[in-house]
Amino acid sequence: MTFEDFNLSKPLLNALNEQEISSPTGIQEEAIPVISSGADVIGIAQTGTGKTLAYLVPILKNLKYSDQRQPRVMILVPTRELVVQVIQEIEKLTTYMSVRTLGVYGGTNINTQKQKIYEGCDILVATPGRLYDLVMTGILRLKSIQKLVIDECDEMLNLGFRPQLERILELLPTKRQNLMFSATMTEEVHALIESYFSNTQKIEISRVGKPIEGINQSFYAVPNFNTKVNFLVHLLGDKEIFKKVFVFVRSKKYADAIHAEVEKYFPNEFGAVHSNKSQNYRLRMIEEFQSNQLRGIIATDVVSRGIDVDLVSHVINFDIPDLAEQYIHRIGRTGRQKEKGATISLITAGELENIERIFELMDTSFDIIDLPTEVKLNKELIADEEPISIHDAPTLKGKSFRYTVVKPPSQGKLQQRSGKTPKKNAKKKRR
Ligand code: AMP
């Protein structure tokens, strides 16, 4: 199944395509048609399952152009970080659409937000406390809300937002679509549903589950992109072991860049596959890989699902996908039909949070191994890499990262620290 099957507009499809998002996740497959039909939905799904797009795609699909000032869609989330994240997702999806989006949260100047509300928006993303304060000023009216999303409902109630939520719900027009998402169905979530919603369709996404038993998974801490390239070349140098390899990368740009590097060491042994390559080219590459004319494919997630190539010896995750499910899809390219398979993931400090979600999804965890000493460290950062301060470096369940990059303000050069335990102060994307 692809996003094309949901009958979406071209601008929306193009925006998804640009993000290399082609096949829907489990929750998206189930929720998008139901939400598009206008029904009320309760989705039980965690972060990393693609739940945000599960509600954003059908909302944007049905959102007509309007220049009215008061918002028509309201998305409530528990934290300021989530407001920012949801706004970013909407902005990426509406690159080719005319949709006004506004995010409001507490702890910042309310007057600036009042001004923005006055200027008008179609979609308002908010934390409940600040939203209620804005309603009280009289500047924000909720009578035009047609769709309400309560995201991370369990967390919202855990944080004590029930009174604000109830006050907000009382002010909403009765004729509206309700969409609620929660990682767990707690008693409080259940009680809220009982009191405020009726005829809601429940969509529950069971965990993707454990990956195939026969896949040997390893995880390596690597300080940065350039060292990942060195490590990859080091691994691929062993042609006996790395016989048939899928290398997965998050973006087309990186796929091309990595392919160019690999080509220098192993000319004509690897192909690059991503959505900017023509369908014919992609098929040819996969065929050549299938028939062992190519030793490997460097690909984005466009080929992480469905593709069945026999006897893939290794899946190398050059980076760690944001979507935990995607990891399971990627590694499922090896160990097919009871063959033994292996997967190696290269992790920078900034990707630890994604790894944590993957372990949670698989309901298991693995040690993160230090980079083998024979791999050359390259301290140079690429343009997209943000220097990570030693104090912000995340740790994984007590396990610290050996390599943490810091950029001293004076020279702007990268330093590498090894063997230090950085302070546990993970900068969380989510809570
Ligand atoms: P969420 O579970 O909504 O927090 O989404 C986690 C991440 O997965 C986000 O970075 C999304 O952009 C990404 N994502 C969502 N749906 C898909 C999909 N169908 N394919 C690939 N990535 C996706």
Side-chain angles (χ1 to χ4, degrees), residues 27-276:
I27 184 106
Q28 290 163 359
E29 210 173 306
E30 287 208 37
I32 292 174
V34 182
I35 298 178
S36 298
S37 75
D40 284 2
V41 164
I42 295 168
I44 303 293
Q46 292 151 310
T47 297
T49 53
K51 67 178 169 60
T52 320
L53 293 195
Y55 64 77
L56 287 181
V57 167
I59 287 177
L60 291 169
K61 176 186 170 188
N62 292 331
L63 195 67
K64 304 266 177 313
Y65 174 81
S66 160
D67 54 12
Q68 75 180 61
R69 281 206 188 147
Q70 295 294 338
R72 289 172 289 157
V73 176
M74 183 164 81
I75 301 171
L76 296 177
V77 297
T79 62
R80 156 196 191 138
E81 287 76 13
L82 257 178
V83 171
V84 174
Q85 221 170 283
V86 172
I87 291 276
Q88 281 168 351
E89 296 258 353
I90 301 173
E91 281 171 356
K92 280 190 266 169
L93 284 178
T94 56
T95 320
Y96 306 109
M97 295 165 77
S98 183
V99 175
R100 297 161 303 164
T101 312
L102 178 63
V104 293
Y105 41 77
T108 46
N109 191 330
I110 196 165
N111 290 326
T112 323
Q113 294 180 349
K114 274 161 71 177
Q115 177 60 31
K116 295 244 170 73
I117 299 250
Y118 179 76
E119 286 164 16
C121 68
D122 301 298
I123 305 180
L124 182 65
V125 186
T127 48
R130 177 51 60 97
L131 183 102
Y132 189 68
D133 294 344
L134 283 162
V135 171
M136 287 297 102
T137 66
I139 210 112
L140 173 65
R141 288 191 293 276
L142 302 182
K143 283 287 164 245
S144 51
I145 299 292
Q146 298 160 1
K147 291 175 200 293
L148 165 75
V149 179
I150 304 179
D151 198 358
E152 307 226 346
C153 190
D154 47 355
E155 185 60 15
M156 196 134 22
L157 296 171
N158 284 346
L159 291 172
F161 278 130
R162 188 178 171 120
Q164 287 92 336
L165 261 185
E166 288 183 337
R167 277 181 233 135
I168 294 165
L169 286 165
E170 305 285 350
L171 295 171
L172 291 171
T174 41
K175 198 171 166 303
R176 61 167 199 266
Q177 184 179 21
N178 297 303
L179 307 169
M180 188 196 268
F181 288 84
S182 191
T184 48
M185 181 57 98
T186 59
E187 252 173 56
E188 285 105 323
V189 174
H190 189 72
L192 190 82
I193 295 165
E194 289 282 291
S195 332
Y196 288 93
F197 308 112
S198 54
N199 290 329
T200 346
Q201 195 157 326
K202 189 165 154 205
I203 297 178
E204 188 156 3
I205 288 304
S206 53
R207 287 172 177 262
V208 181
K210 292 196 179 182
I212 311 135
E213 296 283 314
I215 304 177
N216 184 340
Q217 304 184 55
S218 358
F219 300 86
Y220 285 89
V222 191
N224 56 28
F225 183 93
N226 283 326
T227 308
K228 281 187 175 183
V229 172
N230 290 351
F231 189 23
L232 179 67
V233 169
H234 166 81
L235 292 172
L236 298 180
D238 192 338
K239 299 189 186 188
E240 284 303 305
I241 302 274
F242 291 84
K243 283 202 275 284
K244 203 165 180 179
V245 188
F246 252 126
V247 180
F248 282 109
V249 187
R250 68 167 62 233
S251 79
K252 319 174 226 211
K253 186 173 85 179
Y254 292 157
D256 283 334
I258 294 159
H259 181 243
E261 277 303 309
V262 166
E263 195 61 22
K264 287 185 200 159
Y265 295 87
F266 314 108
N268 305 320
E269 290 185 38
F270 290 83
V273 172
H274 54 67
S275 64
N276 270 8

Side-chain angles (χ1 to χ4, degrees), residues 3 21 23-25 28 46-53 89 305 322-323 326 357 430:
F3 276 93
I21 294 179
S23 357
T25 63
Q28 290 163 359
Q46 292 151 310
T47 297
T49 53
K51 67 178 169 60
T52 320
L53 293 195
E89 296 258 353
R305 295 176 203 210
D322 295 337
L323 192 65
Q326 205 91 63
R357 283 199 223 139
R430 301 242 149 147

